[in-house]
Amino acid sequence: MTVQQRRDGLVAEQISLTYPGRETPVLAQLDARVAPGVFTVIVGPNACGKSTLLRAFGRVLRPTTGRVALDGTEIGGMNSKQFARAVALLPQSAVAPDGITVGDLVARGRFPHQGMFRQWSKQDEQAVIWAMERTRTIELADRRVAELSGGQRQRVWIAMALAQQTEILLLDEPTTYLDLAHQLEVLDLCRELVEEHGKTVVAVLHDLNQAFRYADRLIAMRAGQILATGVPETIVTRDLVHDVFGIDCQVVPDPLTGTPMVVPRSERPRVLQAAGDGTGPG
């Protein structure tokens, strides 16, 4: 199915979700839609339900009430491999099997495409190589995952998700453990997947200015509810940032992109000292 044919995307309708042992729902009668063919970023403070919403979209968590549907079909009733060929989820803290190599882990992304009458193929091999090239992990193929740095492991997990070659990619804090250069590489890759390959990408991000710069659409959450959703240039205001994060700020245009940029106010900012004030040489 092409992006043009995919009209509904992922839709959550009045979903509530409560974790065992908790009385208060993490999500409460929440409606959300992931539009097809765009880069959607979910932002909000810690424990507001961002990752829970993403995992509900990825069928890891089943809502207590309401439903999540993919193009009108409730995802809970879909065949597991059918769903995995459409939606890939990269969780926050994925754990690799003991002793597995990078190449073998990335190749596991092809599992949904295997079957009784379809075994490993040239297409599978090409998908794995492409994913590792795009994440700059191909030189790590023979290394054991356990030997890698946190940033290297994160890129390998992203490669596995890319090898799955789904139309929808759900990424929970994909820039965790990455230095700034690799953070930008991952976010540039997300934009490439959307713009050049017609993918739908949803990511949970903590860096607001990166979210505003890269996202086509934004979902801003607090306390299990969505406070605003839409194009960052339209919805991001000083009041919204205060309502979501409880901080005072100025919202100014990014000097490079014109997208919203948050400049938080601080009660104790550092004040630059004038030259020759006796605090340094000379």
Side-chain angles (χ1 to χ4, degrees):
M1 184 178 290
T2 65
V3 170
Q4 288 74 21
Q5 293 172 315
R6 188 178 284 288
R7 299 186 182 278
D8 297 329
L10 275 169
V11 179
E13 299 174 342
Q14 289 289 290
I15 64 169
S16 297
L17 200 149
T18 305
Y19 288 120
R22 288 188 55 172
E23 296 182 1
T24 305
V26 181
L27 304 177
Q29 296 183 317
L30 181 146
D31 291 318
R33 176 173 181 259
V34 172
V38 301
F39 185 12
T40 298
V41 175
I42 306 173
V43 298
N46 290 340
C48 73
K50 302 185 301 295
S51 295
T52 300
L53 176 59
L54 198 75
R55 283 181 277 180
F57 277 138
R59 212 173 73 159
V60 175
L61 298 174
R62 183 182 293 271
T64 311
T65 62
R67 74 171 200 149
V68 179
L70 174 61
D71 297 327
T73 301
E74 189 168 358
I75 64 175
M78 295 177 67
N79 173 277
S80 295
K81 280 196 172 183
Q82 176 191 7
F83 183 75
R85 287 193 292 268
V87 179
L89 170 66
L90 176 63
Q92 281 185 31
S93 303
V95 179
D98 290 340
I100 194 169
T101 65
V102 168
D104 287 342
L105 182 63
V106 177
R108 292 194 173 200
R110 300 302 298 166
F111 174 74
H113 302 273
Q114 307 300 308
M116 185 178 298
F117 301 106
R118 186 191 182 285
Q119 300 302 312
W120 190 262
S121 67
K122 186 68 174 178
Q123 181 182 353
D124 296 318
E125 181 179 353
Q126 290 172 344
V128 168
I129 292 174
W130 176 83
M132 296 180 73
E133 287 177 342
R134 294 307 304 124
T135 54
R136 300 193 182 190
T137 55
I138 194 140
E139 70 277 5
L140 304 174
D142 296 326
R143 297 271 303 276
R144 295 185 186 275
V145 175
E147 299 172 354
L148 304 181
S149 69
Q152 288 173 323
R153 282 197 299 271
Q154 187 73 351
R155 286 188 286 142
V156 169
W157 283 110
I158 293 171
M160 190 189 78
L162 290 181
Q164 204 168 321
Q165 290 197 321
T166 58
E167 293 182 26
I168 300 174
L169 189 61
L170 309 177
L171 305 172
D172 197 354
E173 300 185 29
T175 55
T176 299
Y177 305 121
L178 300 181
D179 60 36
L180 181 58
H182 285 119
Q183 289 177 28
L184 297 179
E185 279 187 8
V186 167
L187 295 172
D188 285 340
L189 175 58
C190 289
R191 288 243 47 95
E192 176 188 321
L193 292 171
V194 170
E195 294 174 1
E196 299 182 17
H197 301 278
K199 304 289 188 182
T200 300
V201 180
V202 187
V204 170
L205 295 180
H206 279 292
D207 188 307
L208 291 183
N209 292 328
Q210 287 183 355
F212 300 160
R213 176 181 281 196
Y214 282 91
D216 295 311
R217 293 186 65 82
L218 199 70
I219 296 176
M221 297 185 63
R222 184 175 182 87
Q225 294 292 322
I226 293 176
L227 297 192
T229 181
V231 178
E233 291 84 345
T234 301
I235 69 169
V236 175
T237 64
R238 176 181 176 181
D239 287 343
L240 178 67
V241 176
H242 183 271
D243 290 344
V244 173
F245 293 96
I247 60 172
D248 191 16
C249 71
Q250 290 292 331
V251 177
V252 299
D254 185 307
L256 294 180
T257 64
T259 52
M261 185 172 73
V262 170
V263 182
R265 292 183 183 273
S266 172
E267 294 183 2
R268 301 193 64 178
R270 182 173 68 93
V271 178
L272 295 178
Q273 300 294 325
D277 63 356
T279 60

